[in-house]
Amino acid sequence: MSLYRRAAKVDATQKAIMAALDAAGVRCWMIRLPCDLLCRYVHPSKGWVWQPLECKTIRDGEKKVYADARQKTQAAFIEANEVPVVTSPIEALRALGLAT
């Protein structure tokens, strides 16, 4: 398996999350690194906001684990920059402050 093939794999939840964000008026770009999505939207009280998001899939009751060196580097970025990790459309909308 090539590196490109592995890098192209996306979390199963990402398509539904992007569809929900689009329906809420959020522009979303798949950037893959250093996290999955870059979102731009109008927050009700803050105005225009840029927010990265990381999409994860729940397996066996837990979020997908970080296994290889690239994923560990990504995990460090997510933690250092407080990037929300979301597993569903409603979690994504809540992370952006667009749902309660």
Side-chain angles (χ1 to χ4, degrees), residues 1-88:
M1 174 187 292
S2 75
L3 293 175
Y4 294 109
R5 186 160 177 80
R6 183 173 15 190
K9 186 176 180 184
V10 298
D11 288 280
T13 57
Q14 190 167 316
K15 185 176 180 180
I17 289 169
M18 289 183 73
L21 293 173
D22 183 56
V26 177
R27 292 277 318 226
C28 251
W29 294 270
M30 285 185 3
I31 58 173
R32 294 190 184 142
L33 289 176
C35 56
D36 291 327
L37 303 176
L38 181 60
C39 303
R40 183 174 184 251
Y41 64 102
V42 178
H43 186 275
S45 62
K46 299 177 186 176
W48 283 103
V49 176
W50 288 92
Q51 177 66 57
L53 289 178
E54 176 66 17
C55 301
K56 287 293 172 201
T57 301
I58 300 273
R59 290 198 180 116
D60 300 324
E62 295 185 17
K63 291 180 184 174
K64 186 176 157 187
V65 295
Y66 297 100
D68 62 30
R70 181 191 59 80
Q71 290 172 322
K72 289 178 182 176
T73 301
Q74 183 182 42
F77 173 86
I78 289 167
E79 184 177 338
N81 294 285
E82 300 177 4
V83 175
V85 178
V86 298
T87 60
S88 68

